[in-house]
Amino acid sequence: AQSVAQPEDQVNVAEGNPLTVKCTYSVSGNPYLFWYVQYPNRGLQFLLKYITGDNLVKGSYGFEAEFNKSQTSFHLKKPSALVSDSALYFCALRDSGYSTLTFGKGTMLLVSP
Amino acid sequence: GAVVSQHPSRVICKSGTSVKIECRSLDFQATTMFWYRQFPKKSLMLMATSNEGSKATYEQGVEKDKFLINHASLTLSTLTVTSAHPEDSSFYICSARSSGGDYEQYFGPGTRLTVT
């Protein structure tokens, strides 16, 4: 069975500082990895994905994520956080093009002015 | 990009009544749609997977007679919460998977259901 772990319930960072939101995964096949962001009372917005290719994936709003196969991680990063980045972030996984997404529990990111 | 809409965005209903939530893929065809439920500050819980023209597949613990899902066309799926109770109050999110080859899932904006 596949699984996704987001070990932090909440990440606090000051505006302008770099941020990292952690995600590790477990899957038997090749992972398809995703990051989504959710603002209050809104649906999920796609940020970026890793399917194959370069381990560093660049996405929307200045976010990027690094796929690390040996550590089975896919941490989300941004060099300089904005207050408007404050939201709930979900890491998700599927093991093929056709399987169902498995979500992590989510990490609340709070960026202070 | 692909857009998924949900209607209504929020609904309040009385206990014992039924409420229908629509999920539409606006600019692509979706043979498969997913319905999720999300509790406050929690992750998404997959309720069921619906395929156009066939019966939905429900996750363990989800009452299929209470949460009726219909996927009558390639662009529309509906979730009907029957005989709603306050414990059914939640945020319901649908997702549509493109049948165009990339198999990406696109999410709707969610529906806030409050049962009084």
Side-chain angles (χ1 to χ4, degrees), chain B residues 5-107:
Chain B
S5 70
Q6 277 184 245
H7 178 79
S9 58
R10 56 181 65 227
V11 57
I12 300 173
C13 69
K14 292 186 176 181
S15 186
T17 62
S18 296
V19 61
K20 180 186 287 187
I21 303 170
E22 293 186 348
C23 176
R24 294 181 185 272
S25 57
L26 297 185
D27 50 3
F28 66 100
Q29 293 186 331
T31 52
T32 304
M33 290 186 172
F34 306 87
W35 286 96
Y36 295 85
R37 182 173 179 175
Q38 185 181 29
F39 294 98
K41 298 183 179 180
K42 297 292 185 182
S43 188
L44 280 70
M45 180 192 80
L46 179 64
M47 299 174 65
T49 302
S50 74
N51 291 294
E52 186 263 339
S54 63
K55 290 184 178 180
T57 301
Y58 290 81
E59 296 299 303
Q60 192 173 8
V62 177
E63 299 176 60
K64 62 181 181 181
D65 294 331
K66 180 168 189 61
F67 298 99
L68 300 179
I69 292 172
N70 183 278
H71 191 165
S73 78
L74 287 172
T75 59
L76 174 65
S77 176
T78 60
L79 168 68
T80 301
V81 183
T82 63
S83 186
H85 288 97
E87 57 266 29
D88 299 325
S89 298
S90 193
F91 195 56
Y92 292 87
I93 301 175
C94 77
S95 173
R97 183 162 64 196
S98 168
S99 55
D102 61 1
Y103 300 116
E104 292 301 332
Q105 271 186 248
Y106 302 95
F107 288 84

Side-chain angles (χ1 to χ4, degrees), chain A residues 29-90:
Chain A
N30 291 322
Y32 291 51
L33 292 157
F34 303 80
W35 275 102
Y36 294 90
V37 60
Q38 184 182 33
Y39 295 95
N41 293 310
R42 304 292 293 276
L44 272 64
Q45 294 180 34
F46 170 80
L47 281 179
L48 51 81
K49 67 180 178 184
Y50 171 84
I51 304 297
T52 186
D54 286 342
N55 290 341
L56 184 63
V57 179
K58 293 187 183 297
S60 306
Y61 313 119
F63 284 94
E64 58 188 30
E66 186 166 11
F67 171 67
N68 187 317
K69 188 173 183 178
S70 62
Q71 297 186 3
T72 61
S73 66
F74 190 57
H75 301 331
L76 181 70
K77 300 182 179 184
K78 187 173 182 180
S80 179
L82 299 173
V83 173
S84 57
D85 292 330
S86 299
L88 187 57
Y89 290 80
F90 290 101

Side-chain angles (χ1 to χ4, degrees), chain A residues 1-22:
Chain A
Q2 59 192 42
S3 65
V4 178
Q6 292 181 246
E8 303 150 318
D9 289 336
Q10 184 168 305
V11 170
N12 297 301
V13 65
E15 188 174 32
N17 284 357
L19 69 88
T20 299
V21 182
K22 296 180 180 178

